[in-house]
Amino acid sequence: MTEFKRRIAVTGGAGFIGSNLLLYLVPKYPDYLFVNIDSLTYAGNLKNLVSLEDSPSYRFERIDIREREAVTACFERYRIDSVIHLAAESHVDRSIDGPLLFVETNVLGTASLLDAALTRYRADKRFRFLHVSTDEVYGSLGATGYFTETTPFSPNSPYSASKAAADHLVRAYHVTYGLDTVTTNCSNNYGPYQFPEKLIPLMFRNARDRLKLPVYGDGSNVRDWLYVEDHCRALDIVFHKGLSGETYNIGGHNEITNLELVGKICTLLDSIIGGGPREKLIEFVTDRPGHDHRYAIDATKIEKELGWTPDVSFDEGLARTIRWYLDNEEWLEECISGEYQNYYEKMYADR
Ligand code: NAD
Ligand code: TYD
């Protein structure tokens, strides 16, 4: 076996953030082995990673993280010494429709991984577990204030509750067994390869095809958007420099209401492909139950202690994202064919 400096299992590597992370880390660390562990749900797509297929330091293993024995065997086979854990069910609306899958994947899946990790940790004390989580665990903000690492958890959706439970398990494995863990809680990501159930690619696709633009409620909900590449840089830094047992909030200082954001997507598309104004396609539809009003991250800790700051402004990142989706029509068409049609019909037909 080649002697790699580190042997890292990246779970959920075929998803949106996982793909961006592997595309960033594999070329950057040629002396590390990266094993992508992913069960390829509707959200996982190996086509994102074709450019890595011939890399000697990249492997793919189709494994469900809930299958503890398969995970343990994989960890043994590759002598894994670290995990970057991204595998999850990630869409809030789907969690409202079917919460149990979220508990199974996000809670039990994380528990199974932690258990497999502990076995490896006992054999190799360098073992590190980076748990990638969300700011949604903190609940909802009013018009002011920010989430810090000490904000009490108050998750409102089955998705955020399942992520919060996973965060607690990670903490417990650190405190009880001494497992070297670090957790990150990040704000909404956007960028290439995001599945078109999420706000930005969904609105891009609908605006491009002149379908209605379904804004939940009155569109005044606020999200704090971070370009996915900035998140990947932060994960790299936390993995290498984060202190054991700590959590780090990651955010872009990019608060914007959903309505303003959809307006920006319309304006960008009008200017690039013409045929506007697309803003007139906006329709206010029935709100999401339990819809969190505002998320906003105070990222002082990671900025001060680890020296990370976001690089990509929102206007720049949004322009890059729209350009990417325009240039990758085939990728998007594949996502929105088949099962997506049923999903869309179920979620939006009666809204
Ligand atoms: P995604 O839905 O795009 O990808 C999830 C990946 O996990 C897919 O490749 C899927 O096949 C895989 N997966 C799902 N269940 C699995 C299982 N049981 N076993 C193995 N693999 C499985 O998600 P994303 O947006 O890339 O998010 C990645 C992680 O980052 C998640 O943990 C999410 O909670 C967290 N996060 C996301 C955001 C965001 O804005 N997208 C923000 C903060 C944190
Ligand atoms: P989403 O991308 O699902 O991320 P999250 O719920 O994790 O923040 O949604 C972002 C915001 O956009 C959220 O306030 C819900 C809103 N939204 C709409 O108004 N319409 C839509 O069709 C979608 C998918 C989201």
Side-chain angles (χ1 to χ4, degrees):
M1 231 185 222
T2 319
E3 262 330 301
F4 290 103
K5 210 167 143 196
R6 296 225 67 140
R7 301 169 157 273
I8 305 175
V10 176
T11 71
F16 160 51
I17 301 174
S19 295
N20 279 285
L21 185 67
L22 284 165
L23 292 169
Y24 175 72
L25 292 180
V26 174
K28 183 168 176 193
Y29 297 102
D31 50 354
Y32 289 11
L33 175 70
F34 292 93
V35 181
N36 174 8
I37 293 182
D38 199 299
S39 64
L40 300 181
T41 68
Y42 76 94
N45 188 345
L46 285 182
K47 289 196 179 147
N48 306 351
L49 299 166
V50 278
S51 65
L52 301 181
E53 270 169 9
D54 294 330
S55 165
S57 60
Y58 169 76
R59 308 277 194 285
F60 171 69
E61 293 286 343
R62 187 170 190 171
I63 293 172
D64 189 318
I65 56 163
R66 292 170 292 181
E67 304 290 336
R68 205 190 73 85
E69 279 173 19
V71 173
T72 305
C74 176
F75 282 10
E76 289 301 322
R77 191 159 64 253
Y78 290 104
R79 287 186 283 123
I80 291 298
D81 64 34
S82 306
V83 173
I84 303 180
H85 174 35
L86 297 112
E89 287 295 334
S90 69
H91 192 43
V92 173
D93 292 326
R94 289 186 196 255
S95 82
I96 294 167
D97 197 46
L100 292 190
L101 177 62
F102 283 69
V103 176
E104 284 165 15
T105 299
N106 300 354
V107 187
L108 299 180
T110 301
S112 133
L113 268 182
L114 282 165
D115 225 45
L118 189 58
T119 306
R120 285 295 308 159
Y121 168 74
R122 286 178 170 148
D124 179 353
K125 287 287 181 290
R126 286 182 319 156
F127 201 100
R128 164 148 274 207
F129 192 104
L130 166 54
H131 174 58
V132 180
S133 190
T134 166
D135 60 354
E136 302 189 25
V137 297
Y138 299 121
S140 181
L141 291 166
T144 57
Y146 294 90
F147 296 134
T148 72
E149 288 78 2
T150 56
T151 302
F153 280 17
S154 184
N156 292 316
S157 71
Y159 163 66
S160 54
S162 67
K163 291 295 292 187
D167 293 15
H168 284 311
L169 277 169
V170 171
R171 188 186 134 80
Y173 267 69
H174 173 72
V175 175
T176 305
Y177 306 111
L179 185 67
D180 175 12
T181 64
V182 261
T183 295
T184 54
N185 294 92
C186 186
S187 61
N188 287 63
N189 283 218
Y190 68 104
Y193 304 111
Q194 188 166 33
F195 194 81
E197 63 194 351
K198 304 288 196 308
L199 181 70
I200 292 179
L202 185 143
M203 292 298 173
F204 164 85
R205 184 263 167 151
N206 285 19
R208 185 198 64 182
D209 296 351
R210 294 170 193 292
L211 304 172
K212 85 170 182 186
L213 306 177
V215 172
Y216 298 165
D218 63 3
S220 65
N221 303 67
V222 172
R223 296 292 181 267
D224 175 2
W225 295 91
L226 182 70
Y227 193 60
V228 64
E229 233 173 70
D230 278 329
H231 187 192
C232 293
R233 275 195 312 106
L235 293 176
D236 180 12
I237 292 170
V238 172
F239 177 78
H240 286 99
K241 298 207 284 185
L243 296 183
S244 188
E246 291 294 315
T247 70
Y248 297 90
N249 280 357
I250 306 171
H253 305 296
N254 263 318
E255 288 180 48
I256 184 169
T257 67
N258 294 337
L259 188 57
E260 273 177 273
L261 172 48
V262 175
K264 271 181 186 282
I265 295 170
C266 290
T267 310
L268 265 170
L269 268 177
D270 293 348
S271 71
I272 302 171
I273 58 176
R278 287 178 170 74
E279 274 201 21
K280 64 176 195 296
L281 299 168
I282 290 174
E283 275 184 37
F284 295 102
V285 300
T286 310
D287 209 351
R288 171 187 281 174
H291 195 175
D292 287 335
H293 180 66
R294 174 172 165 258
Y295 303 142
I297 282 276
D298 177 346
T300 307
K301 180 174 172 181
I302 188 171
E303 289 172 3
K304 288 239 165 81
E305 294 183 12
L306 304 183
W308 172 87
T309 48
D311 267 354
V312 183
S313 73
F314 190 58
D315 284 342
E316 165 67 21
L318 193 62
R320 276 199 217 172
T321 303
I322 297 302
R323 191 73 262 165
W324 187 87
Y325 280 97
L326 283 169
D327 291 344
N328 289 275
E329 277 190 343
E330 227 176 90
W331 186 93
L332 186 61
E333 290 324 304
E334 225 171 86
C335 291
I336 63 178
S337 59
E339 188 47 40
Y340 184 83
Q341 298 297 330
N342 301 334
Y343 167 80
Y344 196 84
E345 181 73 15
K346 191 171 177 193
M347 284 292 168
Y348 293 95
D350 299 325
R351 240 186 160 120

